[in-house]
Amino acid sequence: MEHVPPPAEELALLDQELVRLDARRLQLLNRRAWLMSVLRPPVAPPPFAAPPARLPAAPFGWGSPVGAAAAPASGASGASGVQNVLLVLGGLLLTIAAIAFTLFSWGEMGIAGRSAVLATVTVAALAAPALLLRRRLSATAEALAALALVLTVLDAYALHAVAVPDTDGLGFAAVSSAVLTALWTAYGLALGRLRLPLPAAVVAGQLPLVLAAWAAGAQAAVFGWALLVTAAADVAVVLWGRGLAVRITAGVGAASTGLIAMLIGLGQSVSADGPLAAAGPGALLLAGAVVALFGAWRAPKEWAVAAGTVAGLAAVAAVGGVLRPGLPWNWSVVVYLLCGAALTAVVRVRVPQPVGRGVLVASAAVTAGAVLWALPAVAAVLLGPVSLLTDVWAGAPGSVRGALGPSMPWPESAASPVVLVLVAGLLAALYAGWDRVRGTLLSPRPGWRVAAAAGAMVLGWGAALALPAVTDVPYAVAVGVELLLVAGLLAVTVRQGAGALGLTALVCALVGAVSAGLLALAAEPATYAVSVCLLVLFAGAAARSKAAAVQSVLAGASVLCAIVPVSAVGASLGWSAPHTAPLVLVVPAVTVLLGARLRVAATALTLELTGAFGAVVAVGLAVTDAPFLALVLALCGVLAAGTAVRPDRRPVAGYLAAALFVTAAWVRLVASEVSDPEAYTLPVSVIAFAVGYLRRRTDPAASSWVAYGPALSMTMVPSLVVAWVDPYWLRPLLLGVAALVVTLAGARFRLQAPLVLGGSVLALVGLHELAPHVVQVFDALPRWAPPALAGLLLLALGATYEQRLRDARRVRESLGRMR
């Protein structure tokens, strides 16, 4: 079947084709003129005249020279642009002159002269476009038509000022706008080639009913109906109007007046104090919904979706406004939510697909608004226990709200769990009835089904979290409910694995576990009970999970849960934080043992890294007491060394163990206020050096940092620290000699650690010894000398930059080849 457009669209297509033909005719005429100029003999130019520019000959019989085809088009375009500018300026000046004449020179003439002048000018301005269109001067006709439209407005103003000056201005304006609308419509239909009168008539048509209601002093409801009737007329023009400009103008008018009318109805519906008072605004909203649906039925796809959305929202506001009065506002949200949910029945009705989708968008918008209203209650339950961190173990409150703080007005949030349960039920119904919905208006993507199930799970979990706070249950009951929720979510996680539902349940379980742990800080028994229960739940879920990624996360969470009761034991025994730190290291020790026995590499790594976090917690607890800090660092070194026994952990854990042992020794020396650390560090360094030498004998590929790094840094770094504050010369001299020997040995045997450590210590010792003399030299130099020396140094470096870069690269490569 061939598509036959409506008469209005076909006429617009014909007009566009005629315009293209005119442009093509002009191009052919220009081409003909050029050909005639080529065929005719050239005429001698007059004296002192500039020679005309010759166009190059065409290479083919029907071809055009380079630039010749573009020149007429550009010339025509430029002429058209200049013509439009001149016409717009001329019409604007005539309009200004007419307005000035009407407003300021009107009183200087008699009534007959005034009427004759305006009538003559108006009639002439209205008649001139018809003559100009016959001569194909459409642009000039448009300019004079615009002037004529302005003159008709001035005629209406003059008529009121002279003939009926005592008439109410608003009423006369309403009648005048209606008359002008009819006049401009007839004028535009009579002269169909003019593009301005009909859109102007649509703009004028927005005013009569509104001005009439204003003149009558009507109430807001009357204004709403006046705007809605105007919007309905605009919709009719959009559907059956003539020309694209007319339809666009009417569409903008329909959207503006219709939305204002619906906002008036919505405001009155929300503020109504009874069903009867809400019936009138409800009728206005329902009428607006009917108008929007009527327009959406034949509108293009995008506009149909938008109009369907507006219709759905208006219907919800109308029905909900009638059912809402008598209920508190928090329960009114449930009423509107139910009305929005009822819109989903459109999938069972035979409507155009864009319209149905718009109605479903309206339902989704109402649902999303209700969920956003209910979310603060869930956030208060999750974040409220954070306030307990400043008052740990102050005692269990009588009800759960005492542990959540005064951050939420709970009586006003009583309907939050109901809203969340209803929305979760809608999503669950969508998930369950997916096969029946898949071929309807929704035409959803496959991933939407999983998203619906995940959303239902999250909202149901949020409702279960908020319910104890809303009902203000006892504290112990609320804690138990949160633990049960975590257990249920972990069961879903184990069952679903690494799928979307499993990961959603895992995230909710982790967040719920944090909330339950914070809530348990109110009382000492609750802290132990909740942390142990969470430890058992996460460990059991990790043991039963089949997905490696999920198992890793669960194992890490169980380790974090284990840190809490171990740390709480010290507080229960009255120990200080440094005394509790060694006890916390029990958790990292267990993770080291379990990591060596687990077969899943990802789970073992996560377990050990989480245990390392427990070691960091222990170091943080002991940082205020140097002796205990040294003990904790040494114990952490032992754990790292135990981890380094495994070949796959050795590259990282070996270095970490050496660093921890050295740091523990340094901290111990500082804590003991040792002034001669060499007496303590040298024996240990000799033993460590011997161990490193044996390691190199058995494993020549071992790095010098692992073999000799701990032994050298064990003595040299503490000695360097003491040497920097030592006022005598003996210690720096001995340290410098030792550093020189170590540096030379490293260079001789090509060992990286001795070379780098010895050279660094030697440089720092030399800097320490030269610092006083350098200060004296700088004091003796004039102030301009240091900048000058710095400038010379920079110039020298810049001049030899490439050579220095090559030298640095060679040094780096040499160090890299060392062990």
Side-chain angles (χ1 to χ4, degrees):
M1 296 178 65
E2 296 183 357
H3 173 69
V4 179
E9 293 186 8
E10 187 175 2
L11 181 61
L13 294 174
L14 291 177
D15 291 339
Q16 295 175 3
E17 188 64 28
L18 289 173
V19 172
R20 286 195 292 270
L21 289 175
D22 290 339
R24 179 61 178 167
R25 182 175 182 274
L26 179 61
Q27 183 180 3
L28 293 176
L29 288 175
N30 289 330
R31 176 66 179 172
R32 182 178 182 278
W34 178 81
L35 292 174
M36 292 294 293
S37 66
V38 171
L39 294 175
R40 290 174 181 172
V43 180
F48 306 106
R54 294 185 61 187
L55 295 174
F60 301 101
W62 292 99
S64 60
V66 178
S74 62
S77 174
S80 177
V82 172
Q83 179 189 20
N84 291 334
V85 171
L86 293 177
L87 290 175
V88 170
L89 288 177
L92 181 62
L93 291 175
L94 288 175
T95 302
I96 294 174
I99 294 173
F101 171 77
T102 304
L103 295 178
F104 303 111
S105 300
W106 186 254
E108 299 176 2
M109 302 178 63
I111 186 170
R114 290 176 276 182
S115 302
V117 169
L118 273 180
T120 302
V121 174
T122 304
V123 170
L126 290 173
L131 299 176
L132 293 173
L133 288 176
R134 293 177 185 176
R135 297 179 178 271
R136 298 183 178 178
L137 299 174
S138 57
T140 308
E142 290 286 355
L144 287 179
L147 175 63
L149 298 182
V150 175
L151 288 174
T152 56
V153 177
L154 296 178
D155 286 337
Y157 168 76
L159 181 63
H160 179 265
V162 174
V164 284
D166 298 331
T167 306
D168 180 37
L170 288 174
F172 186 83
V175 176
S176 299
S177 59
V179 173
L180 289 176
T181 301
L183 175 63
W184 292 352
T185 301
Y187 186 67
L189 293 175
L191 301 178
R193 293 180 60 185
L194 291 178
R195 290 176 289 182
L196 184 61
L198 290 179
V202 174
V203 174
Q206 312 302 311
L207 302 176
L209 293 179
V210 177
L211 292 177
W214 192 359
Q219 297 179 352
V222 178
F223 272 99
W225 282 104
L227 289 168
L228 185 59
V229 172
T230 304
D234 289 332
V235 170
V237 174
V238 171
L239 296 178
W240 297 293
R242 176 179 175 181
L244 183 61
V246 174
R247 294 199 295 272
I248 291 177
T249 306
V252 173
S256 303
T257 54
L259 289 178
I260 296 174
M262 291 185 185
L263 288 176
I264 292 174
L266 178 62
Q268 290 188 327
S269 176
V270 171
S271 59
D273 55 358
L276 293 178
L284 176 61
L285 290 169
L286 284 178
V290 172
V291 171
L293 280 177
F294 181 76
W297 213 269
R298 296 184 57 183
K301 180 179 179 181
E302 293 77 10
W303 293 100
V305 173
T309 302
V310 173
L313 293 175
V316 170
V319 179
V322 175
L323 300 177
R324 179 198 60 81
L327 294 175
W329 175 247
N330 53 351
W331 290 101
S332 300
V333 177
V334 179
V335 174
Y336 286 110
L337 176 60
L338 292 175
C339 295
L343 293 179
T344 56
V346 73
V347 298
R348 300 294 184 184
V349 182
R350 300 190 58 152
V351 296
Q353 191 176 50
V355 179
R357 288 186 178 179
V359 175
L360 292 178
V361 169
S363 175
V366 174
T367 304
V371 171
L372 289 177
W373 175 85
L375 284 182
V378 181
V381 174
L382 293 175
L383 302 178
V386 175
S387 60
L388 296 174
L389 292 174
T390 59
D391 197 12
V392 177
W393 292 357
S399 62
V400 66
R401 292 183 187 175
L404 299 179
S407 60
M408 188 73 185
W410 292 107
E412 287 78 6
S413 304
S416 298
V418 179
V419 169
L420 295 174
V421 167
L422 289 176
V423 178
L426 288 175
L427 294 177
L430 176 62
Y431 176 78
W434 183 259
D435 294 332
R436 296 190 299 273
V437 173
R438 188 165 48 189
T440 60
L441 294 172
L442 285 177
S443 298
R445 298 178 181 178
W448 290 13
R449 184 185 188 189
V450 180
M457 181 189 302
V458 173
L459 294 178
W461 169 66
L465 276 179
L467 184 61
V470 168
T471 56
D472 199 17
V473 300
Y475 171 78
V477 175
V479 173
V481 168
E482 293 203 8
L483 286 177
L484 289 176
L485 288 175
V486 173
L489 290 169
L490 289 178
V492 175
T493 301
V494 172
R495 183 180 181 85
Q496 297 294 330
L501 292 179
L503 294 179
T504 303
L506 177 59
V507 172
C508 293
L510 293 173
V511 176
V514 173
S515 175
L518 292 174
L519 189 63
L521 295 178
E524 182 177 359
T527 301
Y528 284 106
V530 170
S531 58
V532 172
C533 288
L534 291 176
L535 170 61
V536 173
L537 288 174
F538 280 105
R544 295 181 61 85
S545 177
K546 304 300 182 183
V550 175
Q551 188 182 58
S552 300
V553 175
L554 293 172
S558 64
V559 174
L560 295 177
C561 294
I563 295 174
V564 177
V566 175
S567 303
V569 169
S572 299
L573 297 176
W575 294 354
S576 62
H579 288 75
T580 308
L583 185 61
V584 177
L585 291 178
V586 173
V587 177
V590 174
T591 60
V592 170
L593 296 175
L594 291 177
R597 297 179 62 86
L598 288 176
R599 297 180 180 178
V600 182
T603 305
L605 180 60
T606 304
L607 202 68
E608 292 170 353
L609 291 177
T610 317
F613 173 75
V616 173
V617 172
V619 172
L621 292 174
V623 74
T624 57
D625 193 328
F628 272 95
L629 178 60
L631 174 62
V632 170
L633 289 173
L635 293 175
C636 291
V638 172
L639 295 177
T643 305
V645 173
R646 299 165 57 190
D648 55 335
R649 300 288 189 263
R650 188 170 300 158
V652 176
Y655 288 107
L656 181 60
L660 288 171
F661 282 132
V662 173
T663 306
W666 294 345
V667 173
R668 182 68 260 183
L669 293 175
V670 173
S672 302
E673 298 180 357
V674 175
S675 58
D676 297 324
E678 294 81 4
Y680 300 91
T681 58
L682 274 176
V684 178
S685 296
V686 170
I687 297 173
F689 191 85
V691 173
Y693 178 75
L694 293 176
R695 169 71 185 277
R696 290 276 296 176
R697 287 283 302 272
T698 56
D699 184 11
S703 171
S704 61
W705 288 99
V706 176
Y708 305 126
L712 295 175
S713 59
M714 182 77 70
T715 296
M716 297 180 72
V717 175
S719 298
L720 179 63
V721 174
V722 177
W724 268 76
V725 296
D726 192 348
Y728 304 104
W729 58 271
L730 181 58
R731 187 189 303 276
L733 176 61
L734 295 176
L735 182 60
V737 171
L740 178 61
V741 172
V742 170
T743 303
L744 294 176
R748 169 66 179 80
F749 297 103
R750 302 184 61 82
L751 297 176
Q752 192 180 99
L755 180 62
V756 173
L757 288 176
S760 301
V761 173
L762 183 61
L764 291 174
V765 171
L767 179 62
H768 173 264
E769 294 303 312
L770 291 176
H773 304 288
V774 173
V775 172
Q776 291 178 3
V777 171
F778 272 90
D779 289 339
L781 289 176
R783 293 190 175 181
W784 55 266
L789 293 174
L792 291 174
L793 178 62
L794 291 177
L795 287 176
L797 290 176
T800 60
Y801 174 74
E802 294 295 334
Q803 182 62 36
R804 302 286 80 78
L805 192 62
R806 286 192 293 269
D807 294 342
R809 190 178 294 113
R810 282 196 296 268
V811 171
R812 186 186 64 183
E813 292 174 355
S814 298
L815 282 175
R817 287 193 295 268
M818 293 182 179
R819 297 302 302 171

